[in-house]
Amino acid sequence: MNGRQRHTEPVDVHLILRRETAAGPQVLLSRRAGQVYAAGLWRLPSGHLDGPHEDVVTALIREAREETGVVIDPVDVRAAVTVHHRSPGGASRTGYFFEVQRCTGEPEIAEPDVCDAMDWAPLHALPAEMVAYCRAGLDAYTASAHLAVHFQLPGDTIAFDAGADRLRLVPDVTGQAFGARPDAMVVESIMRWWLLQQEHEGIRDALGAGQTWEMLAGALGLGSVNAAKEHAQLLECVFGPEEASHGTG
């Protein structure tokens, strides 16, 4: 110690509420509004710790409910990436980004005085008008990084600017060089396979319960009975006839 005051900086938490769709993964974003920092820009639901009594997971769950109305069980919170950030004005902070794929309730604008829009965005096609810090966290997350540094320079904008991207990914203990999330295709393929298997079992159970092909065609969003039967036959080829034999005659 040299007598100078010890450096301290804020700690904040960011919610990567993720859902899988046929077109790929999506994340929930909200747009800042009113007399607040970064008004007009999209970002993840986020906020600061209330004090030393609050850990980062508890803070994430609280912020999620306050901003979006959803309820998150602590067991469903997954550590995604930590970002050490410095704003163009020179202030630094540490942000913990967490992935959540299951929650109770539908997201909605719970703080209309500071948020005027909320929507799902494709993870690999994020809107251009984003807070640079938030975009850096999502880019690091997409690259499967565990730690990143995002130190902006004086004159940089609060909004994301691809021409002034200050994101630096820190390798993990294995020395892995991060890129375009090498495991993303594997994870997505497994999820798609699981969803198809659930659909296959749902068709089997519905037919066994006496539902008609007309009802199934409507539930599956298919245009005709023939399309529903062809879809069921394809699933039968993939997952085996012993699981699709009930009521498919």
Side-chain angles (χ1 to χ4, degrees):
M1 297 292 292
N2 57 11
R4 292 185 299 177
Q5 184 176 2
R6 187 185 298 273
H7 168 69
T8 61
E9 60 186 37
V11 173
D12 47 40
V13 292
H14 303 254
L15 171 64
I16 304 174
L17 188 58
R18 174 173 173 154
R19 71 178 185 182
E20 304 298 330
T21 73
Q26 297 180 338
V27 293
L28 184 72
L29 299 179
S30 64
R31 189 171 63 194
R32 302 279 280 168
Q35 302 300 313
V36 296
Y37 180 80
L41 299 178
W42 292 91
R43 43 72 121 169
L44 294 166
S46 58
H48 303 105
L49 271 66
D50 271 351
H53 64 280
E54 190 174 49
D55 64 72
V56 290
V57 174
T58 302
L60 179 82
I61 294 170
R62 174 184 54 76
E63 288 287 350
R65 183 156 195 173
E66 290 176 356
E67 293 192 18
T68 72
V70 302
V71 178
I72 297 172
D73 191 313
V75 302
D76 293 321
V77 177
R78 301 288 181 269
V81 61
T82 301
V83 179
H84 193 201
H85 166 72
R86 183 180 65 197
S87 71
S92 62
R93 64 181 58 243
T94 300
Y96 293 86
F97 290 70
F98 295 94
E99 179 195 86
V100 174
Q101 296 198 39
R102 182 170 59 184
C103 65
T104 301
E106 289 296 323
E108 61 182 8
I109 298 174
E111 296 178 325
D113 55 326
V114 294
C115 173
D116 65 0
M118 186 172 291
D119 203 357
W120 296 93
L123 181 58
H124 300 294
L126 296 168
E129 300 81 13
M130 285 195 70
V131 176
Y133 173 28
C134 174
R135 175 60 185 263
L138 281 173
D139 286 346
Y141 163 73
T142 303
S144 293
H146 304 303
L147 177 65
V149 173
H150 183 251
F151 267 34
Q152 293 184 280
L153 301 177
D156 285 351
T157 59
I158 297 171
F160 173 71
D161 179 1
D165 189 359
R166 308 301 181 188
L167 179 63
R168 178 165 58 88
L169 305 181
V170 180
D172 61 18
V173 292
T174 68
Q176 176 182 352
F178 300 104
R181 201 171 188 184
D183 63 331
M185 292 183 63
V186 175
V187 172
E188 188 167 341
S189 295
I190 292 173
M191 180 59 70
R192 287 178 182 270
W193 181 273
W194 180 83
L195 290 173
L196 284 173
Q197 188 175 40
Q198 295 300 304
E199 187 173 283
H200 172 57
E201 294 175 358
I203 292 173
R204 176 200 63 191
D205 293 342
L207 291 170
Q211 288 194 29
T212 65
W213 281 107
E214 288 81 2
M215 295 169 65
L216 276 174
L220 294 170
L222 300 173
S224 67
V225 168
N226 286 338
K229 288 185 175 182
E230 290 176 0
H231 184 67
Q233 288 172 355
L234 177 62
L235 294 177
E236 180 178 321
C237 291
V238 174
F239 297 107
E242 70 280 356
E243 292 194 10
S245 60
H246 298 79
T248 57

